[in-house]
């Protein structure tokens, strides 16, 4: 039976501030803490290229939606 290995992304409370941080991890690589969703998504793709593993669907969808919402908040309204 083949074991499926994924790249997981989740949020955790930072031990240095009141903010949440994104945690990108696999079983063989140590956890990487990222301040925002875009950096976490970039690191997940770097790990994907290095290891050949897939990014978990739930994690990927959550990161993409978070990046889109942040991008729409920062863009100025166009008339």
């Amino acid at each position: 039976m083949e074991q499926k290995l994924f790249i997981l992304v989740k949020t955790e409370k930072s031990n240095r501030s009141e903010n949440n941080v994104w945690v990108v991890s696999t079983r063989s690589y140590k956890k990487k803490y990222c301040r925002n969703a875009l950096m976490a998504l970039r690191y997940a793709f770097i790990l994907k290229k290095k290891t050949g593993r897939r990014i978990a669907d739930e994690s990927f969808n959550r990161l993409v939606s978070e990046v889109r919402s942040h991008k729409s908040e920062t863009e100025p309204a166009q008339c």
Side-chain angles (χ1 to χ4, degrees):
M1 185 163 94
E2 183 179 327
Q3 183 182 15
K4 294 184 179 182
L5 300 174
F6 292 104
I7 298 168
L8 301 175
V9 181
K10 61 182 179 176
T11 57
E12 286 184 4
K13 179 132 173 65
S14 174
N15 62 348
R16 294 185 181 181
S17 68
E18 296 297 319
N19 299 331
N20 287 335
V21 293
W22 293 89
V23 182
V24 182
S25 63
T26 63
R27 286 187 180 233
S28 59
Y29 281 81
K30 109 180 184 183
K31 293 180 181 178
K32 170 77 172 177
Y33 298 94
C34 301
R35 290 184 183 174
N36 58 38
L38 183 60
M39 295 303 292
L41 187 62
R42 287 180 180 169
Y43 185 70
F45 274 108
I46 290 170
L47 275 181
K48 180 180 177 180
K49 187 174 182 180
K50 282 184 179 179
T51 62
R53 296 179 181 180
R54 293 184 54 215
I55 302 171
D57 293 335
E58 302 87 23
S59 300
F60 181 76
N61 292 334
R62 186 171 177 202
L63 282 171
V64 169
S65 66
E66 193 70 30
V67 169
R68 285 181 182 161
S69 68
H70 181 68
K71 186 175 179 182
S72 66
E73 290 174 2
T74 58
E75 285 184 353
Q78 295 182 4
C79 297

